[in-house]
């Protein structure tokens, strides 16, 4: 991280392992102490995933701010703009919203489930998507904003790597639920997917990885396409 921050002159967000833990010698560290090491090494923001889900669950259960969650601790010292929540939901398809009365269900008439289901709720996951929790993406982002998060990185496991475009319905729902910036992620496969998500949702940013790493799409082409559609972008060397 230190070496990277010396060469990178863009806002640098770092995630992974930012949670309370005890080392082999028995010494305990808070999430704030772990995050502080990242900030001292050059990070501008930190990203929380699984620990944010656990914090949101506790908040929704108690309805009170304790000041003890990772989100609260880090945002109280470094500001909410330094805390990004990485949301990793997957669709749970339903025939009707009544099948999941405690969750926000979205209508997906153009993206039906394997048995023709036209509805889904978005189950948040932890441990790299290996474990589902009984909390949906809308509940999570609302709770995290209340706890002090300043930005949402919105993924979708079902769309990731498919190159069929972003999950516009999910992005719209999250945008309507919070007032903090949202980054749409998962599903980009061509330049048109970027203009589609911006025009359909007014999301603040859109993320892609594989199509750039594999040189399927060039960053310059995405920027030129967005400019041609009068969507504001930030110009740089890339």
């Amino acid at each position: 991280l230190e070496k990277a921050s010396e060469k990178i002159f863009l806002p640098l967000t770092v995630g992974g392992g930012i949670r309370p833990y005890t080392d082999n010698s028995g010494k305990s560290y808070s999430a704030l102490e772990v995050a502080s090491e990242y900030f001292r090494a050059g990070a501008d923001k930190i990203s929380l995933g699984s620990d944010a889900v656990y914090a949101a669950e506790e908040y929704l259960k108690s309805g009170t701010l304790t000041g003890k969650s990772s989100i609260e601790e880090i945002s109280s010292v470094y500001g909410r703009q330094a805390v990004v929540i990485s949301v990793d939901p997957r669709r749970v398809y339903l025939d009707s919203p009544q099948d999941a009365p405690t969750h926000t269900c979205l209508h997906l008439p153009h993206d039906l489930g394997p048995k023709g289901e036209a509805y889904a709720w978005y189950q948040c996951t932890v441990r790299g998507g290996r474990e589902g929790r009984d909390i949906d993406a809308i509940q999570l982002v609302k709770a995290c904003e209340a706890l002090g998060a300043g930005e949402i990185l919105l993924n979708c496991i079902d769309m990731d790597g498919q190159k069929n475009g972003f999950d516009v319905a999910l992005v719209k729902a999250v945008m309507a639920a919070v007032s903090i910036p949202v980054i749409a992620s998962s599903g980009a496969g061509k330049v048109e997917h970027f203009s589609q998500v911006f025009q359909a949702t007014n999301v603040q940013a859109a993320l892609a990885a594989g199509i750039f790493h594999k040189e399927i799409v060039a960053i310059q082409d995405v920027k030129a396409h967005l400019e041609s559609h009068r969507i504001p972008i930030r110009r740089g060397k890339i």
Side-chain angles (χ1 to χ4, degrees):
L1 176 56
E2 290 176 343
K3 293 294 184 182
S5 65
E6 292 175 0
K7 302 293 184 180
I8 297 173
F9 301 100
L10 296 170
L12 183 59
T13 303
V14 179
I18 304 173
R19 60 182 182 273
Y21 82 100
T22 302
D23 65 19
N24 293 332
S25 69
K27 184 177 180 180
S28 296
Y29 300 86
S30 68
L32 174 59
E33 289 174 310
V34 176
S36 295
E37 286 296 315
Y38 282 136
F39 287 123
R40 282 192 286 269
D44 297 288
K45 303 179 182 184
I46 56 89
S47 175
L48 299 173
S50 297
D51 207 55
V53 176
Y54 302 138
E57 289 175 335
E58 288 300 315
Y59 172 72
L60 291 172
K61 186 186 301 181
S62 67
T64 59
L65 299 173
T66 65
K68 296 180 180 179
S69 71
S70 300
I71 299 172
E72 293 169 277
E73 287 184 345
I74 298 168
S75 64
S76 68
V77 174
Y78 292 98
R80 67 164 55 233
Q81 82 291 336
V83 180
V84 180
I85 305 301
S86 180
V87 186
D88 289 314
R90 62 173 170 235
R91 294 173 180 169
V92 178
Y93 288 99
L94 307 166
D95 292 317
S96 166
Q98 282 70 43
D99 295 334
T102 62
H103 295 296
T104 299
C105 297
L106 302 184
H107 189 208
L108 306 172
H110 304 297
D111 201 359
L112 302 177
K115 297 180 180 179
E117 304 97 330
Y119 295 89
W121 69 277
Y122 287 75
Q123 181 184 40
C124 292
T125 66
V126 296
R127 301 177 65 234
R130 295 188 297 275
E131 179 186 334
R133 307 290 291 186
D134 190 26
I135 178 174
D136 66 54
I138 308 305
Q139 293 169 322
L140 177 68
V141 297
K142 285 182 175 180
C144 289
E145 181 176 25
L147 288 165
E151 192 169 81
I152 302 295
L153 172 57
L154 182 60
N155 307 295
C156 180
I157 291 174
D158 304 85
M159 306 298 284
D160 196 34
Q162 299 302 304
K163 301 182 183 66
N164 293 323
F166 297 93
D167 191 324
V168 171
L170 175 61
V171 177
K172 280 184 176 180
V174 169
M175 286 288 292
V178 297
S179 61
I180 56 179
V182 177
I183 304 169
S185 179
S186 304
K190 57 184 180 180
V191 295
E192 289 81 5
H193 290 153
F194 291 88
S195 57
Q196 288 168 3
V197 74
F198 283 122
Q199 292 171 335
T201 70
N202 289 320
V203 72
Q204 285 85 1
L207 178 153
I211 60 170
F212 297 143
H213 299 158
K214 297 173 184 178
E215 299 183 343
I216 298 170
V217 174
I219 295 175
Q220 298 96 319
D221 293 341
V222 174
K223 290 190 171 187
H225 174 76
L226 293 176
E227 280 191 319
S228 72
H229 284 69
R230 299 183 179 180
I231 297 171
I233 63 165
R234 180 180 299 168
R235 272 293 176 189
K237 294 181 179 179
I238 294 177

